[in-house]
Amino acid sequence: MFQKTKISAALIVAFGGGGALGVLPAHAQDSSVQRVEVTGSAIKRVDAEGALPVQVINREAIQRSGATSVTDLIQRLPAMQGATTESASVGGGGGGFSGASVHNIGETRTLVLLNGRRLAQFGGQTLTGFGAAIDLNTLPLSAIERVEVLATGASSLYGSDAIAGVVNFITRRNSTEGDLTLGASKPQKGGAEEKRFSLSKGFGSLEEDGFNVFFAIGADKRDPLNATQREASKTGVINFNHNGKRYQAFLGSPSAIPGNVLDDDGDIVSPYFLANGSCAPGNVRSTDPATGKTACYFDFVAALEIFPERERQQAMVSGDLKLGQNHTLFADVLLSRTESTGIIAPVPGSISIPRSSPLYDQYLTPVSGMQGSTFTQDTTAFYRVADLGRRADKNKSEFSNGVIGVRGVFGEWDYETGLSYSKSDFKNDISGYPGALALSRLRSSGLLNPFVGPGEMPAESLAAVRNIVYNGYWDGGTSELASLDGRVSRSLMNLAGGPLQMALGVNYYQEKFQGKPSLFAQAKLADPVAGTLCDPDSADPNLQCDQRFGDAAAIIPYSADRKAWGVFTEVVAPVTKTLELTGSVRYDDYSDFGSTTNGKLMMKWRPTTGLALRGSLGTGFKAPTVPQLKAAPQSFGVTSSPYDCTPELQAVATSLNAQCQPRGRQYDVVAGGNPKLKPEKSRQAHVGMVFEPVQAMSVGVDWWWVGIKDAFGQISEQEAFDNPQRYPGAWTTQRDIATGIDFLAYNQANLNLGKAYYSGIDFDVQGRYNTPIGRLGGRLVATYMLAEKVQLQEGGQYFNPVGVNEPSLSYVTFRWQGRASAELQTGKWLNSLAANFKSGYRDAIASVEVLGPNDANTGEFEDVQLKIKNYVTWDWQTQYALNSRLTFTLGVLNLTDTKVPLTLAEGGAGKGQMFGYDDRYHDIRGRTYYVNASFKF
């Protein structure tokens, strides 16, 4: 294994790595050698095996993985946990973003590169730091030659903010091969069907013709998947068995149709139920165990599209031109566009019902006194405008990136310099939202009746409601990055083990971010549909500033920028034939955060043939994003779950002269920048080995540790609502303009929370064996999390989510995560089988209702904590090469149609509105067939 080989073998063998999703071919032994550069080092070398654990996924492994996009490829890697999935766009504010997170340390701490260079962050990033990373949807899979994943951080070459690690995408170039691939995927149970196409071709030989141009284009489209198309997601009412008893869990909304109201005691009840003894269709009875009063909750889960409709188009062109014998001019251009649509239930909200209203006498007075509810005062109706249809968030992301530079050899120096610019532009269009004041005026005029069911609204009323619905641009943002870099490397002198090598580098970049809310989102319109500007100082009620019905929204536009420059040096010293030491130092200077110096020490030791030991120590530094620092406080949606008004929460509300939300209602959220944020500082360490007991087998094991001080974040909403008086800064107020009530609101401020520690072990075992019927290969890649400890207050308690959905963090970290695969090459056939596994965990504690005989509701509630079992799915793929040009691929994902496990978690970071399964961790599509046909020319 430890031989000098060509680049293709050197990169694969060096780090115990081939494709983390498939088994690579046996390594060809070749006497020719090349100097190559790998992720994590600025020095080109003949022997690419270094001190850092880099996994390399080459093009063949990508094609055999079954991945249909860069997002699928990266998020399936065992070392990846905690990344945002597309399902977060289903009511979770994801904006269509998908990222990479090494070891659950975070997307914002995982540096994603294209050909070793930074890219502009997602234009839809939020004030809290969400999305302040690279959207993987922007990168074209058809243009990727290989992916290098450095699973330890603080690379001096790319920046000390790479705390968790680096994912470097290397694109294809200097190739004349052409490839046309068509493909489709179809889940067996329907929905989420995909079609895709890619075309790539190169022209000219850099060595023979002095130039090469390579282009790749691709497009794919996926149909939506409705919640009702899967048994596990079709409703928010879930009956289940646990420890010999029968229970019912339910997630619904008190904003129902017909609407619920507040009685004189401030309890939420259903006039429809009081009058009829049952709830209307589409609603579920919910009785408050404390009061015995009944409301009808809308089953919004059944109305979701759990996989958004999505379209992507991408194009990339790379060019290389020889400038004499030793110099090459290169240029790359990447353009991409992603559009996804998240569909959720019709818009809910609150409407005032004065005692003088005819609606009061028609619907409330007749039921006054029933089941302990009286109606003698002005009240509020919680209503869902179902006749408007479901709401839609159409997220559009456009990305562009251009690079031009020169690389080559000047005397004894290898050099490369480049100028790059990238831009991410995000737009969010909405539909199905009326203005809150406009809807309130319709109620006052008698045209809106919140106590009738779906389809019962008179034609005149329906037309009036539809006339006030806003459909169009809501919010967006633009992120830009311009950079200039240069680096050189050379051998200085010979040491006992080989040449002493050194690299020097410098880089400068400027990033800009601009938030672009619409006038409606800024609450500057009196008539959102007509676009009429409001006048908050006018006495005319028709010129009042309207806001979106259902959630307060007064988003403040802003722009901010940052400049930074850095220099680094790296030295590789082969002290002996068996021992190599590497040291690097980086200095960075930020226009808004001053300067910082960080370093890394690395060691590689080969005590005997077939064994290499490696290790590293380093420090890191990460400044907050510009929105985290400079954005003004503003409305930021609603909490992911409703919360009961405990005595402690009521005390907080009273101190702020506000009201708690009624039972079952979500709370408004406020967020903004914090100019007092301190940068994160980190330390990293790793120790590992690569062991080859026999020539056809290798074993890689790496222990890693990351410690972070002054970690950025927010108090999780679950922790804040469970302990409201522990976090006095977590509370503010928001006025509901439709009712004029000041409600308690959750202040999701950016904070330095304290310290965080992560540690684990990465495993990579692979083997090859020639059988009488063909070449057999096998591979196991896995990560074992030893610990994750996170503070939510400086000097406060540590929370550990490993193996448990920790309520104070609202997420789980899997103890084990991995993939075991085997493949058999027989003539023109290549068959592979892979098992993907996640260890079980303890679910969040949930209060659920005890069921009686025949699943009758009893009104008795108990706390239940489910134990989620280990989750294993199997993938099968068959490739047939008809000839050297045409290859057919047929595969099945989740071959055994393993069902998603039942969980009772209601919310959490990155989670959509789905209930009954956790969309962050388990794929509900079930058994999925795919086919690809590839023609090379």
Side-chain angles (χ1 to χ4, degrees):
M1 178 174 180
F2 304 109
Q3 300 182 35
K4 297 177 181 179
T5 64
K6 293 173 65 177
I7 180 172
S8 58
L11 287 170
I12 294 166
V13 180
F15 308 102
L21 297 174
V23 182
L24 294 176
H27 313 304
Q29 303 301 314
D30 194 306
S31 58
S32 62
V33 296
Q34 293 184 28
R35 294 189 302 165
V36 299
E37 182 180 301
V38 296
T39 299
S41 175
I43 293 176
K44 292 185 176 182
R45 53 174 64 187
V46 170
D47 184 356
E49 182 185 338
L52 297 177
V54 178
Q55 287 185 345
V56 180
I57 313 165
N58 72 356
R59 184 155 184 79
E60 289 74 21
I62 293 172
Q63 292 171 340
R64 291 198 292 272
S65 69
T68 59
S69 67
V70 165
T71 301
D72 292 341
L73 177 73
I74 297 304
Q75 293 191 345
R76 289 183 191 179
L77 296 176
M80 297 290 167
Q81 288 201 57
T84 303
T85 61
E86 288 182 288
S87 61
S89 300
V90 184
F97 173 85
S98 295
S101 171
V102 173
H103 295 145
N104 209 32
I105 300 174
E107 291 165 327
T108 60
R109 301 177 183 130
T110 300
L111 188 58
V112 175
L113 306 169
L114 183 65
N115 294 320
R117 286 183 168 84
R118 290 174 177 259
L119 301 170
Q121 297 175 348
F122 180 49
Q125 63 182 273
T126 68
L127 312 179
T128 62
F130 165 78
I134 308 307
D135 183 10
L136 297 180
N137 291 303
T138 62
L139 303 176
L141 188 64
S142 59
I144 303 301
E145 176 66 27
R146 68 183 187 275
V147 185
E148 298 175 359
V149 180
L150 171 61
T152 185
S155 167
S156 62
L157 173 59
Y158 312 112
S160 51
D161 57 347
I163 291 174
V166 178
V167 182
N168 191 8
F169 293 91
I170 311 299
T171 58
R172 302 167 66 189
R173 62 189 326 119
N174 195 23
S175 170
T176 58
E177 182 182 74
D179 181 276
L180 172 64
T181 298
L182 303 175
S185 302
K186 180 178 176 60
Q188 180 176 302
K189 298 174 184 176
E193 297 179 8
E194 293 187 29
K195 302 177 182 65
R196 52 192 171 271
F197 143 84
S198 67
L199 173 66
S200 60
K201 182 70 173 84
F203 302 92
S205 168
L206 189 61
E207 289 74 22
E208 298 178 6
D209 303 318
F211 78 95
N212 176 262
V213 176
F214 183 86
F215 78 89
I217 57 175
D220 62 80
K221 181 179 181 180
R222 184 185 63 208
D223 297 331
L225 173 63
N226 285 298
T228 53
Q229 291 180 271
R230 294 294 184 272
E231 186 68 25
S233 61
K234 68 180 183 180
T235 177
V237 182
I238 299 173
N239 296 345
F240 66 97
N241 298 312
H242 179 66
N243 290 339
K245 297 179 72 172
R246 188 77 169 159
Y247 295 96
Q248 182 177 93
F250 174 58
L251 180 62
S253 169
S255 295
I257 180 167
N260 294 293
V261 296
L262 293 177
D263 65 10
D264 288 349
D265 296 327
D267 297 318
I268 188 166
V269 297
S270 169
Y272 184 95
F273 182 87
L274 293 175
N276 297 279
S278 62
C279 290
N283 298 282
V284 178
R285 173 179 176 173
S286 178
T287 301
D288 188 337
T291 65
K293 298 177 182 180
T294 297
C296 294
Y297 277 42
F298 183 75
D299 186 6
F300 68 86
V301 173
L304 303 175
E305 279 187 0
I306 53 179
F307 263 77
E309 181 180 8
R310 185 200 63 212
E311 291 187 46
R312 292 182 293 214
Q313 300 90 34
Q314 299 145 336
M316 185 165 187
V317 178
S318 298
D320 294 273
L321 177 66
K322 278 283 190 181
L323 301 176
Q325 175 120 16
N326 296 322
H327 312 284
T328 301
L329 175 70
F330 64 90
D332 300 320
V333 176
L334 167 64
L335 302 172
S336 68
R337 180 179 181 273
T338 303
E339 184 174 303
S340 66
T341 304
I343 303 293
I344 56 178
V347 62
S350 54
I351 300 174
S352 61
I353 308 292
R355 178 64 186 84
S356 59
S357 167
L359 294 171
Y360 206 103
D361 291 333
Q362 182 178 357
Y363 293 98
L364 303 185
T365 301
V367 298
S368 183
M370 292 184 180
Q371 295 189 4
S373 290
T374 58
F375 300 97
T376 63
Q377 306 169 8
D378 293 349
T379 188
T380 301
F382 303 105
Y383 171 60
R384 190 171 296 268
V385 197
D387 288 323
L388 291 179
R390 297 186 292 178
R391 289 167 288 169
D393 276 283
K394 181 172 287 187
N395 302 301
K396 304 175 183 177
S397 294
E398 295 183 346
F399 183 83
S400 58
N401 182 70
V403 180
I404 186 168
V406 182
R407 66 169 64 95
V409 178
F410 188 82
E412 297 295 322
W413 294 90
D414 286 306
Y415 75 92
E416 181 173 325
T417 183
L419 176 67
S420 64
Y421 171 81
S422 62
K423 179 180 180 180
S424 173
D425 190 71
F426 172 76
K427 295 182 177 68
N428 169 232
D429 292 350
I430 62 171
S431 62
Y433 289 90
L437 291 179
L439 202 66
S440 182
R441 285 192 285 266
L442 287 185
R443 194 276 307 156
S444 299
S445 71
L447 285 172
L448 179 68
N449 183 349
F451 300 113
V452 298
E456 297 178 3
M457 189 179 290
E460 181 185 10
S461 298
L462 182 60
V465 172
R466 287 178 174 172
N467 283 337
I468 64 170
V469 174
Y470 180 84
N471 299 310
Y473 177 71
W474 173 251
D475 195 8
T478 300
S479 174
E480 298 176 84
L481 180 73
S483 65
L484 175 66
D485 64 81
R487 58 182 182 266
V488 295
S489 64
R490 64 163 294 172
S491 297
L492 297 178
M493 57 183 292
N494 287 324
L495 299 179
L500 175 69
Q501 299 174 83
M502 181 187 70
L504 299 170
V506 61
N507 72 287
Y508 169 85
Y509 69 85
Q510 179 176 5
E511 58 178 340
K512 297 181 180 180
F513 186 86
Q514 184 175 9
K516 302 177 180 179
S518 66
L519 291 175
F520 186 23
Q522 295 178 55
K524 289 186 175 181
L525 297 179
D527 185 339
V529 176
T532 306
L533 291 173
C534 65
D535 183 357
D537 299 322
S538 173
D540 185 350
N542 293 317
L543 291 179
Q544 287 182 275
C545 298
D546 208 350
Q547 295 183 21
R548 190 168 70 173
F549 179 66
D551 59 340
I555 304 173
I556 301 172
Y558 67 94
S559 61
D561 67 273
R562 166 183 292 151
K563 302 178 181 66
W565 63 273
V567 293
F568 70 88
T569 183
E570 179 182 12
V571 175
V572 176
V575 180
T576 69
K577 294 292 185 181
T578 61
L579 177 63
E580 180 182 277
L581 300 178
T582 302
S584 60
V585 178
R586 181 180 183 90
Y587 172 86
D588 290 290
D589 185 90
Y590 296 86
S591 60
D592 52 357
F593 261 93
S595 60
T596 177
T597 301
N598 295 274
K600 190 156 190 172
L601 294 174
M602 295 162 278
M603 176 274 296
K604 178 185 66 177
W605 180 41
R606 300 183 195 170
T608 185
T609 303
L611 175 64
L613 304 178
R614 58 195 180 193
S616 66
L617 292 170
T619 63
F621 175 97
K622 180 172 176 57
T625 67
V626 286
Q628 282 179 303
L629 283 172
K630 301 177 181 179
Q634 54 197 272
S635 301
F636 197 64
V638 296
T639 58
S640 61
S641 299
Y643 295 94
D644 292 336
C645 188
T646 62
E648 293 82 5
L649 194 62
Q650 180 62 63
V652 172
T654 301
S655 70
L656 295 173
N657 297 316
Q659 296 183 22
C660 284
Q661 289 283 0
R663 177 175 176 266
R665 291 267 295 172
Q666 295 160 290
Y667 283 74
D668 287 315
V669 178
V670 173
N674 180 0
K676 296 182 180 180
L677 275 183
K678 295 180 288 187
E680 291 183 340
K681 296 181 180 179
S682 65
R683 293 175 292 162
Q684 297 88 11
H686 111 274
V687 175
M689 72 167 190
V690 179
F691 176 51
E692 188 178 39
V694 295
Q695 187 176 7
M697 182 180 181
S698 67
V699 179
V701 181
D702 286 278
W703 170 86
W704 53 268
W705 176 90
V706 176
I708 301 172
K709 178 184 177 182
D710 295 324
F712 307 142
Q714 298 80 35
I715 306 299
S716 73
E717 63 181 59
Q718 182 72 55
E719 173 69 9
F721 281 91
D722 284 349
N723 303 282
Q725 295 181 353
R726 183 184 297 173
Y727 306 102
W731 308 105
T732 184
T733 63
Q734 281 283 83
R735 172 159 293 187
D736 184 336
I737 66 167
T739 62
I741 299 174
D742 289 324
F743 285 109
L744 183 69
Y746 167 49
N747 183 15
Q748 198 176 40
N750 291 294
L751 301 170
N752 290 113
L753 299 180
K755 297 178 181 178
Y757 297 98
Y758 307 81
S759 63
I761 304 175
D762 291 337
F763 299 90
D764 189 344
V765 181
Q766 60 178 323
R768 305 169 300 279
Y769 183 70
N770 291 324
T771 74
I773 61 173
R775 189 179 72 243
L776 178 67
R779 182 153 191 195
L780 169 67
V781 181
T783 293
Y784 179 80
M785 290 294 295
L786 291 168
E788 177 177 338
K789 299 188 296 181
V790 178
Q791 286 181 323
L792 294 178
Q793 267 187 326
E794 187 174 353
Q797 175 185 355
Y798 283 96
F799 298 95
N800 185 355
V802 177
V804 60
N805 192 332
E806 169 57 58
S808 296
L809 301 175
S810 299
Y811 67 84
V812 63
T813 298
F814 291 93
R815 178 73 71 181
W816 276 105
Q817 187 166 272
R819 179 179 172 94
S821 59
E823 67 176 27
L824 178 65
Q825 176 83 56
T826 308
K828 295 183 177 182
W829 294 89
L830 177 62
N831 293 284
S832 62
L833 179 67
N836 313 284
F837 57 91
K838 296 177 184 285
S839 57
Y841 63 93
R842 287 181 288 125
D843 198 15
I845 297 174
S847 178
V848 295
E849 186 174 5
V850 179
L851 295 178
N854 300 317
D855 283 353
N857 296 94
T858 65
E860 298 178 10
F861 286 79
E862 293 181 0
D863 286 343
V864 167
Q865 185 175 35
L866 300 180
K867 180 170 174 45
I868 311 301
K869 296 181 179 179
N870 297 335
Y871 185 69
V872 180
T873 62
W874 295 84
D875 300 335
W876 173 269
Q877 186 187 94
T878 294
Q879 282 187 4
Y880 175 68
L882 181 65
N883 51 47
S884 60
R885 293 181 178 271
L886 186 59
T887 301
F888 296 96
T889 302
L890 176 66
V892 185
L893 303 177
N894 196 354
L895 181 66
T896 57
D897 199 25
T898 302
K899 293 181 174 59
V900 294
L902 170 67
T903 74
L904 303 179
E906 291 186 11
K911 191 179 187 304
Q913 291 186 359
M914 288 70 85
F915 183 59
Y917 74 102
D918 203 317
D919 51 279
R920 297 171 295 182
Y921 311 128
H922 304 113
D923 189 342
I924 201 170
R925 285 177 293 184
R927 182 184 293 122
T928 300
Y929 302 97
Y930 66 91
V931 61
N932 295 319
S934 178
F935 177 71
K936 297 188 183 303
F937 58 95

